[in-house]
Amino acid sequence: MPRLLSKEWWEERVLRMYDSWRDPVTWHVTETPEGPGDLRQFKRRRFALLVTYKRSGDAVPSAMWFGLKDGRAYLRTGCDSWKVRRMRNNPQVLFAPSNIRGKPKGAVLACTARILPDEEKPAAARIIAGAYGAGRKLYDRTVATVYEEAAYIEITPNALLKAEAEAEAETRARAEEEAAGRRVEQARD
């Protein structure tokens, strides 16, 4: 048992509080068919529902604060949190705008989570802080201090990843065509 009033004790209490707030609906969300492929619906929203998966395939929902930039969402949590462990095993997640209890307030999107390396953490922290201002700064100095170290997570809609891969493949094919054309011209000369 954690020592009374230690960081571990506080972390356990905070996590229990979050669990008690969770809306029962969050345990049963599924991807919205024909939902939007981007995060535009998240503008002017304060919370997002993040659903990660256990190895058994069971869904685990969490309501999170987030920041948006360039079609991606950025989240912060503890490095040793269970959601980070689950994302290391399975980066496929569901993501939806929600209320503070995690009840979806829009389409549920299939996304891919990426745990950011240390050099990308400051930029993600600025994006999240910029979305909330003084309220986030107060949270970071009080409640969030129970985490020893923070993990920052980038959430990218699978539709955006697919579009980026197609655009990259097209660019690569165009470059190969141009290179082949130059070789033909050089052979003629």
Side-chain angles (χ1 to χ4, degrees):
M1 179 168 174
R3 224 174 66 226
L4 191 62
L5 301 180
S6 66
K7 276 191 175 262
E8 294 83 14
W9 185 87
W10 280 109
E11 181 176 13
E12 188 177 313
R13 295 302 173 282
V14 168
L15 293 176
R16 277 190 193 167
M17 176 186 70
Y18 289 156
D19 286 344
S20 71
W21 285 357
R22 198 173 296 142
D23 192 299
V25 168
T26 63
W27 293 95
H28 308 289
V29 298
T30 58
E31 181 182 0
T32 303
E34 305 301 321
D38 57 37
L39 300 179
R40 280 182 279 180
Q41 65 176 338
F42 287 81
K43 290 184 179 174
R44 292 189 216 101
R45 292 288 180 184
R46 309 277 299 162
F47 300 95
L49 172 66
L50 173 70
V51 179
T52 56
Y53 295 94
K54 295 180 181 181
R55 288 179 197 238
S56 66
D58 294 341
V60 182
S62 302
M64 309 274 301
W65 284 13
F66 66 95
L68 296 174
K69 184 169 184 185
D70 297 332
R72 289 167 167 75
Y74 296 87
L75 315 169
R76 176 188 171 190
T77 190
C79 270
D80 295 330
S81 69
W82 285 103
K83 70 178 74 64
V84 169
R85 294 176 192 179
R86 289 188 295 272
M87 282 185 267
R88 283 192 180 114
N89 290 323
N90 181 2
Q92 296 305 307
V93 299
L94 294 178
F95 198 60
S98 72
N99 65 12
I100 193 170
R101 296 182 62 209
K103 185 175 182 180
K105 296 293 183 185
V108 180
L109 306 177
C111 296
T112 300
R114 181 174 72 95
I115 300 165
L116 298 177
D118 289 342
E119 59 271 8
E120 295 182 44
K121 287 180 178 181
R126 284 191 299 276
I127 291 167
I128 296 168
Y132 294 94
R136 180 64 193 205
K137 288 176 186 167
L138 178 64
Y139 175 82
D140 285 346
R141 290 190 183 121
T142 56
V143 178
T145 61
V146 300
Y147 300 123
E148 289 297 319
E149 188 179 340
Y152 288 88
I153 301 157
E154 179 184 79
I155 304 293
T156 308
N158 289 346
L160 177 58
L161 289 174
K162 182 179 176 185
E164 288 175 346
E166 289 171 356
E168 185 178 317
E170 187 177 309
T171 301
R172 195 176 310 121
R174 195 175 304 124
E176 288 173 6
E177 279 180 21
E178 290 173 5
R182 283 193 298 271
R183 283 194 299 271
V184 168
E185 286 181 23
Q186 288 174 352
R188 287 184 189 161
D189 292 340

